Amino acid sequence: MRYQGREVGVEGRVRLVMESALTARDRVGVQDFVLLENYTSEAAFIENLRRRFRESLIYTYIGSVLVSVNPYKELEIYSKQHMERYRGVSFYEISPHIYAVSDNTYRAMRTERKDQCILISGESGAGKTEASKKILLYYAVTCPANDHMASLGDCLLQSNPVLEAFGNAKTLRNDNSSRFGKYMDVQFDFRGAPVGGHILNYLLEKSRVVHQNHGERNFHIFYQLLDGGEDDLLRTLDLQRNPQNYQYLVKGNCPRVSSINDKNDWKAVRKALPIIGFTEEEVQELLNIIASVLHLGNTQFGEGEEGETHITTETPIRNLTMLLGVDGSALREALTHKKLIAKGEEMITPLNFEQAGSARDALAKAVYGRTFTWLVEKINQSLALKDEVYHSSKGSSVIGLLDIYGFEVLQHNSFEQFCINYCNEKLQQLFIELTLRSEQEEYETEGIAWETVQYFDNKIICDLIEEKHKGIISILDEECLRPGEACDVSFLEKLEDTLGGHAHFVTHKLANGKTRRVMSREEFRLLHYAGEVNYNVSGFLDKNNDLLYRNLKEVMCQSNNQILNQCFRREEVIDQKRPEMAATQFKNSLTKLMEILMSKEPSYVRCIKPNDAKQPGKFDEVLVRHQVKYLGLMENLRVRRAGFAYRRRFEAFLQRYKPLCPETWPNWHGRLADGVSTLVKHLGYKPEEYKLGRSKIFIRFPKTLFATEDALEAKKPAIVLTLQTEWRGYRERAKYQRIRRAVIVIQSAWRGMKARRRARRRRQAAELIRRFIKGFIYRHEEYCPENEYFLDHVRFSFLKRLRRNLPKSVLDKGWPVPPPSLTEASEHLRRMHMQNMMLKYCRSILPEWRKQLEQKVVASEIFKDQKDSYPRSVAKLFLGSRLENEQINLKVIQTLGSDKVQYGVPVTKYDRRGFKARPRQLLLTASSAVLVDKTKIKQRVDYAALRGISVSCLTDGMFVLHVHNEDNKQKGDAVLHCDHVMEVVTKLAMMAGRINHVNISQGSIRFAVARGKEGIIDFTRGSELKVAKGKRGHLLVTAPGFSST
């Protein structure tokens, strides 16, 4: 459904107002039956229901009563978002929903501090149980909660599958029909959080345990146990999975239902039992009882020749003995005999075949019925407010939920339908009384004259059923207690004698000819508020007696099963007083229920099922009309519409319709009552169409409201245009103001930040200058707080300057001058830097250049500052050899063999005696120096025999190889001349390991000529190089000098 109007609530939430739906009323009907123009027409009522059902709108109001139609499908209207949408919203401000009723009831409890209750009624399959689940779910989700409250919420929700398993069954009308009435109290503390709960159950249909109509099933728990129970569990209980094996499950001939998954439901029940406080032992004992009911149904009897009855099936008795923990022989005796006490004496008499079967069935019903009552009490223990007696908390409030059977009219109506319809008569009486009282109180509060409402007062029917000594229940009890052979027919005759003249009671005997044709002789008819119902008296007495023989009670009292021990009290056997009849018990419990409901503020949910086939979208008008009649909905509507159809508080009415009057638009500044009066006068309301109360306006006819709503719809385009214009202007002005304020804030913050930064920098600068000056004054003192900053600054400045001016190469000897405090550190840094540069340089040199440098270093060590020609030789590279391989004779190479030539150079050798110059080749190998004359080795000097090498300090190329005199192979020292004297001497010294044996002579060089004889070489400076024999037999060498330029 699309809603047109919107109203902004106090919390800013957008709320869909009820009147908004009036514009769509032709398509989806009205969402409150009070607004139906022809409210007395049942056809109009049903047509409105049909329209809304067709649009999947299953909820409709009759004033404060919610009518719910079962959709037979899942609707997306129960999410948490939907809960929040209805939370805290006024009842009529949003579309009808079960959550609206739940929230309205909750808020009324909180604000008025008065107990509330929600009465849910409708026939089987109308969705009563689902409605109660939705209400509980709403409270569990939306109410305040802590860990304890969350646990209570779980218990409330988990009690549903357990109660449904034990109290619901598949019927012809509903696959999950509740076969008992349930009233649940949810207790809330002063904060509105659920803190406890309590359940009352009414009139469990115990007869279903032993008998089901065709197409119906027993209670769900039996099928769930057989289908979902574990194999070990079934073996323990001696059960088989096939339900057809059990007499109590075959009578309906419906073991499987397509819409029910017994296996999954069994898992849900097993999961729920521990949550609501069941121990494993209690669960096992409970299942023992369920299994024992099935075994009890399979117990069969036979008749002897003398008519005595005996048990023919031993296995079920053996299983009952084991599962219930009773004496087997005592159980056999109790099932076939009854114990009577007359004048203080006990008498045991045998039962005939039919009586034995009835006793067995009575025991099954009693065991199951009392176990169900125990189950409810067990759930109550888990829901109870801890450490407090139920209903004793002064700071708590209660919301009650009554999920009870609706008015039933079946083809065959018996004792159960009589009790159900009696209950509905009492509820209808309560509803009419409370509705009229509420209406009258509202009229009196608002100062509106109350008009007497004519309605059907069903007190006459309630008295017909429950009046003492003269009511149907009293007569039924008397007939059950009457000595002699009482039967259902005698009960009917007693009714005819006592109630024969009552206007709402008819029997076949008392009826006219036309009525007799549709009534049997065993029926009586009651004219209920919802219509006529025929009841068949067959079974009335037995069901009212609900009799269980004393000896069967004694056997159950001796059971070892703890649950049965609590269900069958020993005091019950000892007490000689006859227990109350079933109808009287129901009447008394119903009286207490009425007292509970009268003490609370009620809300109502009326549930309707649209068809018997459980099909979504199908609307059976005949069936719906039947339910509308029996739920008394038309009577409810007639009472609600007896005065005014529509009423709203002044502020809500004025807020919605003020655009229709220039004087009230856009705002009314006077009294609300004056504003409403001005508005309705402008709209042209006639005096008979409305009344103004103290705080509300009352409108009598829906057409008046519809006309007002149509006028509002026509006005909306102009309103929207005005609102859009105003809103856009407001939005732009607000946007400009926000921007302007933001700019001012940003400017102020930025200026403040800049000023603070500037002030902070100034303070820091002043402090820095002060410390610097003070440090300068104390700069010559020891390191102390006064000069620490200055000295650190000086050191830091030096290091920064040093970093910028570090030498770039090993030849750069520059270095910044350090301050006095860093002299030693500076020297360490200079040395480390130089080492680092040298290391980097060495790592970058190629192998061949490394060898060159090594030789140059050795040459430097030998000749630097010793020989005049050294500076000129530094820039000249040493070659690997001065001779090409082709220049060395092949014969010489062969003679040397493996001793490879590593260096060769042409030299001039001077004879030791005549000093004649002879050209030679000097070859250096790994072990010796060899002088070669073309193809012949002239002299071979082993490095081990080399004593030393002599050269002059001048620029000549003369050098002498000194050998040991003891070596007979050597003729004497070798006098040689070479243009590359420093290269040859350096290589020879390095290869021979004679670096420290090179002699640079400042004068003459003496050399060995032969054994015991020596020669002398004299050196002089001249203009050019000359080598000649001198006058004294010396070798004279003239060496040219260098120019000073």
Side-chain angles (χ1 to χ4, degrees), residues 1 27-28 50-58:
M1 179 175 179
R27 179 170 60 85
V28 298
R50 186 206 307 277
R51 287 183 180 181
R52 296 181 62 75
F53 180 74
R54 190 167 55 233
E55 297 291 330
S56 294
L57 299 172
I58 64 171

Side-chain angles (χ1 to χ4, degrees), residues 659-691:
L660 299 178
C661 176
E663 296 179 47
T664 58
W665 175 256
N667 291 300
W668 173 262
H669 299 289
R671 292 174 59 247
L672 291 174
D674 295 339
V676 173
S677 178
T678 302
L679 176 59
V680 297
K681 287 178 182 177
H682 179 80
L683 293 175
Y685 283 14
K686 296 177 181 178
E688 65 271 13
E689 291 181 340
Y690 76 98
K691 291 287 185 183

